[in-house]
Amino acid sequence: MLTGLNHLTLAVTDLNRSVAFYQNLLQLRLDATWNTGAYLSLPGLWLCLSLDPLRQSEPVADYTHYAFTVSAADFAVFVEKLRSAKVQEWRDNRSEGASFYFLDPDGHKLEVHVGDLASRLKACRQKPYAGMKFFDDQSVEPQDLR
């Protein structure tokens, strides 16, 4: 049985540049480095950067991205810090809660977001997505969502 997300590994093309981005700009804690990788962390997140010559720095067209939590009080200052560093934005916010969507140096799609699953579900109950269903009774058997 799964108990949570263990870690994220991101393929990078320049390890030193990526470590600097995640440590200095995003303020993750640097825990370890080696010739082809690094471990960084936030409370509840273990991030591995892995040097990969096959990595293409072009962002893909899909919506896959990684979101970090930021407090409402810190959001504007943090976004200004990112903009001052000239990070590339890749999307405008279209959901509840303040969000800023940006790319890391290797084109990984990132987001800083104010809110959590509870606030998102509350907003969705007020304005549900097309075809949205809510599953409040956790004793319900897994369902075929096709």
Side-chain angles (χ1 to χ4, degrees):
M1 174 185 289
L2 298 179
T3 59
L5 180 63
N6 188 276
H7 68 278
L8 295 176
T9 297
L10 301 179
V12 301
T13 58
D14 181 327
L15 185 61
N16 290 332
R17 177 186 67 183
S18 293
V19 167
F21 179 86
Y22 283 94
Q23 181 185 24
N24 299 334
L25 188 58
L26 299 189
Q27 301 176 334
L28 275 72
R29 184 178 120 175
L30 181 62
D31 295 296
T33 62
W34 60 99
N35 291 348
T36 59
Y39 291 143
L40 298 101
S41 62
L42 288 171
L45 172 66
W46 165 18
L47 177 67
C48 174
L49 301 177
S50 181
L51 190 60
D52 187 342
L54 299 177
R55 170 69 191 172
Q56 300 295 315
S57 291
E58 310 302 316
V60 294
D62 69 25
Y63 186 60
T64 300
H65 67 281
Y66 311 100
F68 296 95
T69 300
V70 65
S71 72
D74 292 336
F75 180 78
V77 170
F78 197 79
V79 168
E80 183 52 40
K81 180 179 180 179
L82 294 173
R83 286 185 170 142
S84 294
K86 303 205 181 329
V87 298
Q88 182 180 343
E89 295 180 49
W90 65 272
R91 179 185 174 105
D92 291 328
N93 185 24
R94 300 179 194 147
S95 62
E96 66 68 44
S99 284
F100 181 75
Y101 297 84
F102 61 102
L103 301 177
D104 82 352
D106 281 283
H108 295 287
K109 294 178 179 177
L110 306 176
E111 172 189 4
V112 290
H113 178 72
V114 175
D116 57 16
L117 179 58
S119 63
R120 175 65 51 88
L121 289 173
K122 181 179 177 184
C124 286
R125 286 181 191 286
Q126 294 171 358
K127 188 176 178 185
Y129 306 143
M132 190 168 209
K133 298 176 185 173
F134 297 93
F135 301 95
D136 296 322
D137 182 359
Q138 292 302 307
S139 65
V140 174
E141 291 296 317
Q143 298 185 13
D144 181 359
L145 298 177
R146 284 182 267 150

